[in-house]
Amino acid sequence: KQWVSTQSTGDLFSRCAICNSDRFVRVEPDLAAALHKGTSSGDVVCEVWERRHTKCGEISVNEDSVTADGTVLQFDKVKSNRFSENLTFWGCCECGKMYWDGCHLQNFKEKNNL
């Protein structure tokens, strides 16, 4: 038997590489920079997305980058220069790993003719 898998570009990086979750907190550039610097004041509401292309709800994030579910968004592991690039960040709802659409995504698409 042969296993056949079909994928679309919408499937690229749609799951967390650490825990395989498909739910992500979308954090807009200005808020991401404030959370990284620790200058966010109070709780903010962020969108939750399934597979990074279907909005499925909202969740609050406090000034310590902790979601209402208790997940710590790992902004501290992102290099500071990324926050000046006006990038939207995606935090895994399960483990908190942070993602963004940078050159890795573009390089992957080019290398694989997608």
Side-chain angles (χ1 to χ4, degrees):
K1 290 184 178 182
Q2 185 177 9
W3 185 70
V4 178
S5 172
T6 59
Q7 297 176 337
S8 70
T9 55
D11 292 326
L12 295 176
F13 305 106
S14 63
R15 299 188 79 84
C16 178
I18 302 301
C19 70
N20 203 36
S21 174
D22 67 350
R23 292 182 61 234
F24 295 88
V25 177
R26 179 183 169 128
V27 184
E28 296 300 327
D30 291 343
L31 177 57
L35 289 168
H36 175 70
K37 293 177 189 172
T39 58
S40 175
S41 56
D43 291 1
V44 293
V45 176
C46 294
E47 297 173 344
V48 176
W49 289 67
E50 186 175 285
R51 300 180 68 93
R52 290 182 35 176
H53 54 75
T54 305
K55 182 180 173 186
C56 62
E58 296 180 334
I59 194 166
S60 64
V61 178
N62 71 19
E63 64 272 5
D64 295 321
S65 302
V66 180
T67 68
D69 293 342
T71 301
V72 178
L73 300 178
Q74 300 173 13
F75 284 107
D76 59 323
K77 299 198 176 169
V78 178
K79 291 183 180 181
S80 295
N81 64 328
R82 293 289 177 228
F83 297 98
S84 62
E85 297 176 18
N86 200 36
L87 301 168
T88 297
F89 287 83
W90 302 85
C92 175
C93 287
E94 298 299 320
C95 71
K97 177 156 177 65
M98 300 305 298
Y99 297 91
W100 59 93
D101 292 342
C103 62
H104 183 70
L105 177 63
Q106 186 61 35
N107 291 342
F108 185 87
K109 285 180 176 181
E110 288 174 6
K111 183 177 179 179
N112 294 284
N113 299 316
L114 300 175

